[in-house]
Every structure is written in structure tokens, then in C-alpha cells.
Amino acid sequence: MPHYEYDLFIIGGGSGGIRAARISSNLGARVALAEESNLGGTCVNVGCVPKKLLFYASHFAEDFNNSNYYGWSFDNKKFNWNKLIKNKNIEIERLNNIYKKMLLDASVDIFSGHASLVDSNTIKIGDKLITSKNILISTGGYPFIPKITGNDHVFTSNEAFFLKSLPKKIIIVGGGYIAVEFASIFNELNVETHLIYRGSLFLRGFDKDLREQLKNEMIKKGINLKFNTEIEKISKKNNNLTIKLTSGESLNASHVMYATGRMPNSTNMNLDQVGVKLDKNNAIKVNKFYQTNLSSIYAIGDVCNRHNLTPVALAEGSILANNLFNKKNDTLNYNNIATCIFSQPNVATVGLSEEEAKKKYNDIKVFKSSFTPMKLTLTKSDEKNFIKLIIDKETDLVIGAHLVSDNAGEIIQGIAIAIKSGATKKIFDETIGIHPTIAEEFVSMR
Ligand code: NDP
């Protein structure tokens, strides 16, 4: 038997890698982890966590205005972007340190630096060679910017979290999570915001009614949406950007942000030389146990480009660690993964869209409701909530639940448990609601 220094060497200290490291080490494995940047990966440093903090900051703007109708008044209301970014940075640094302590407490060796593969059991960091029985690649992804003239003038979500000042006017390109979330954040912070998407309606793949509802809400809040168009060229004069669209129109802005998807971080670790197979988008190919074509090398999370969500990477990390070091042989069930887009208002969903349900089931029943949330009844806000349930007529099973509302993610998380447990519409109907809440609508749809 060859002697290896470690049982598991993890390249990439994001959500999935850290979870796999901690569990493996607690199960008695000798574990090391290499990270070239800050611990915590995209989610902690330039993703979910700072985005949610910016989301909270931006939502105060609406809350302050609405509170006026509840008797509050504020003189001299002011927003300080630099203070927000400074406090956000302090919080992220705190989290980086917590992750470091968590790994050290679990006796995981941490290597700072860029790691690459020498062979299927050897890792190189600087001049140092390290051997391991198993290697896990959990290096995540990076924002993709299409090749267009002038794309050196644009930035991505990575930089958005560190802007020196709040933009005056921003154009956001893309129609996925990041584009929609940042459009909401900047708009609420009083930035003139334009969102440009190449298709006919953003959030492709989500339920059509949800997408329409969010489109209407975003327009009402003052976001300029331009669909069926792309940027052809960007030029810069002084500090002003001129953006030429394929529709022939030209726009000016101080900032252009691209949120046009993310690519797997897989091309700078010598994977091709070692023989690890990638797909056409450079995602690492793995089987259902996260094993690559080389039996000692595994990959989880965004570098596999499947369900690019933090909780999925966490679950994959847990399953892999238990399979390797706890004699388990588990796989993850990717059905009914709940998700939330932190737009204003939030959009959250679990299960099938109506379009998907129609393809999969012979006969479905759809319940929908649109209403003004109680919190806004005293105010002048015309924001509407929207709820939708999709039922398989034959079994009465709830196969899709969708919500546009404040805190939609908090509500859909509970609905996801019900759907995972196989709840029928009858069980929803028999459930007594909590009054007055938005969530009670889910058990009152007749
Ligand atoms: P998405 O993959 O969600 O969306 C990418 C968008 O960019 C799509 O609208 C796509 O259009 C468009 N696009 C792609 N290529 C081009 C191009 N060449 N020119 C113009 N438009 C283009 O990516 P995001 O960057 O928004 O987010 C990345 C991932 O991060 C998401 O998939 C999600 O899994 C995760 N994430 C999750 C969050 C959450 O859970 N709240 C928050 C943020 C990110 P089309 O639809 O036509 O393909």
C-alpha cells in the first residue's frame, strides 16, 4: 500500500470544500485544504452573504417611506454607501476567521496558495509536493463576460461589492439571479437602473406567471427593463460610457455590470494533463458519487456546473465525506430544491413550474392568488404579492409552489418540507393558517 500524507486533500475552501473537510476530519480522516483567496468561497466573499446584506440595506429605503403612513417621520434621511461597504467587509472578515477557526478546530491543515495536480494522488502548491489518497476539487466558478467591444469597461458581481462609490446610472446585463437581484438593490438605493436581457422575459426556466409578476413589480418600482436586446459595443469618454444596443438604440451610463452567468474554475489546476475529463463548458464530469473518471479524484459544487447553489454544495460535501469515511453509499436527491431570488419583492419557488408540470403530468390543477400584503395596506405602495400552487390531479400531490412577496424565501422553505414529505392539496387545505400572514394563503387556496 502506498503511503499518503493525507486521506483527503481538498482544493478550494468554499461552502462545499469546507463542509467536506470538517466532516471528513471529524470522521477520523487526515485532511488538508488549499485556498488561494479568503476562506468561505463565493457565497461568503462575493455572493449570497454580502448580497443579502446589500439587499437589507436597499430594502430600508422602502421601509422608511412606508413607515411614514404608520406615523413615523424622518428628517434628513441619508444613505452612505462607503459605510455600508465598510461594515459589510468587517462582517465578511469575521466570517473568514470563523471558517479558519472551524477548520483548525477540526484539525484540518490549511494551505494558503494556488494548488494544482501533478498526478492523481499528488498536489503541488508553490514548490511543495503533497500526496493524498483522495483529492476533492471544489473550486467553484467565476463570472463570465461575453466577448464584445469595450467589455474592459464593465464589471461583474465580484467588483460590485467593492465599488468606491454608488453609481449614478447603471446598466445591468443578464436575466438570471444576479442581474435581477442587483437591479433591485441599485434601484432601491436610488441609482437609475436599466436591465438588459437578450430573451423575451428574464428568469428563463422559472414559472412564467412568477416571471411576469416580477417584471410588473420591477417596472412599478422604476427599473427600466429592456428585453430582446444585447449590447453590441461599449465606448468610454471621460467617465461616461456609451452603450450601443443591437436594437440600434444607444444609452449612456456611469457603470455597466455584466451578470451573464458563471463558468467553472477548472482550467488552471493541470486537470487536463492529469487526465480529468471536463465537459464542453469546462465543468468537471462526475458520477452520482462525485467521482471523476480518475478514481481518486472527486469534484463537488459549482465546478461541476449542475445546481449552482450553496446549500447544494454543502449537501454534496456532507454526502461525499460520509461515503468516503463513514462507510455510506448515499446519493443526493436533486428534486424539489427550493430557491429564492432576492429581488424586490423576493421570488421563491419549489418544485415544478406550470410549464414543466404540463409536460410531466397528464392533468394538473393550478391555484393562483394575487393580493396586497397587509403591511402595505396603509401605504401608497402598489406592490402585489402572488402565490401559485400546482397539483397533480390524479394523486392530489402538490408538485409546485411559487411565491412573490417580501421574505418569500422564509415562507417557501417550510412549503419545501411539506412537498418533500409528499403533502397533498387536501393536507394543505386541512392545515390551519396563521392569521394574518402572507403564508396562510398557501392553506386557503380553494
Ligand atoms: P444565470 O445562469 O442565472 O443567468 C445568466 C443570464 O445571463 C441568463 O439570463 C442568460 O440568458 C444571460 N446570458 C448568458 N450568456 C449571455 C451572453 N453571451 N449575452 C447576453 N446574456 C447572456 O447566472 P447568474 O450570473 O445570474 O448567476 C449564476 C449562478 O449563481 C446562478 O445560476 C445561480 O445558481 C447562482 N446564484 C444563486 C443565487 C440565489 O440563490 N439567490 C443568487 C445569485 C446567484 P439566457 O436566459 O438567454 O440563457
Side-chain angles (χ1 to χ4, degrees), residues 349-381:
T349 179
V350 58
L352 302 179
S353 65
E354 184 175 343
E355 297 74 35
E356 287 167 334
K358 275 183 176 153
K359 281 188 202 146
K360 209 169 160 190
Y361 291 87
N362 288 333
D363 212 355
I364 60 166
K365 228 192 233 173
V366 177
F367 295 85
K368 301 184 204 181
S369 164
S370 179
F371 56 94
T372 300
M374 189 173 173
K375 188 178 171 188
L376 300 180
T377 49
L378 297 192
T379 76
K380 290 252 181 315
S381 168

Side-chain angles (χ1 to χ4, degrees), residues 117-150:
L117 297 191
V118 176
D119 60 42
S120 54
N121 294 100
T122 313
I123 305 100
K124 187 171 185 242
I125 302 174
D127 294 335
K128 201 170 165 52
L129 294 181
I130 302 152
T131 59
S132 180
K133 186 168 180 216
N134 300 288
I135 295 171
L136 170 61
I137 300 166
S138 50
T139 43
Y142 65 91
F144 156 75
I145 303 177
K147 286 195 177 77
I148 53 141
T149 310

Side-chain angles (χ1 to χ4, degrees), residues 51 146 175-178 181 197-198 204 259-261 308-309 340:
K51 182 273 312 291
Y177 284 81
I178 298 179
E181 291 180 341
Y197 172 53
R198 64 182 177 181
R204 186 166 59 82
T260 41
N308 298 340
L309 297 167
C340 178

Side-chain angles (χ1 to χ4, degrees), residues 7-22 24 31-34 115 117 120 123 132-140 269 271 284 286 289-292 295-301 303-304 313 316-321 324-325:
D7 298 311
L8 179 65
F9 193 100
I10 299 165
I11 306 180
S15 306
I18 290 179
R19 173 64 65 87
R22 271 203 312 138
S24 301
V31 182
L33 180 146
L117 297 191
S120 54
I123 305 100
S132 180
K133 186 168 180 216
N134 300 288
I135 295 171
L136 170 61
I137 300 166
S138 50
T139 43
M269 286 174 282
L271 295 183
I284 299 180
V286 289
F289 298 108
Y290 312 113
Q291 192 171 36
T292 67
S295 62
S296 60
I297 302 182
Y298 296 81
I300 56 169
V303 76
C304 303
E316 292 177 346
S318 299
I319 285 188
L320 179 66
L324 286 176
F325 305 112

Side-chain angles (χ1 to χ4, degrees), residues 143-146 156 173-176 178-179 196 198 257-263:
F144 156 75
I145 303 177
T156 69
V173 187
I178 298 179
I196 291 176
R198 64 182 177 181
M257 172 174 164
Y258 265 75
T260 41
R262 294 174 62 88
M263 299 294 275

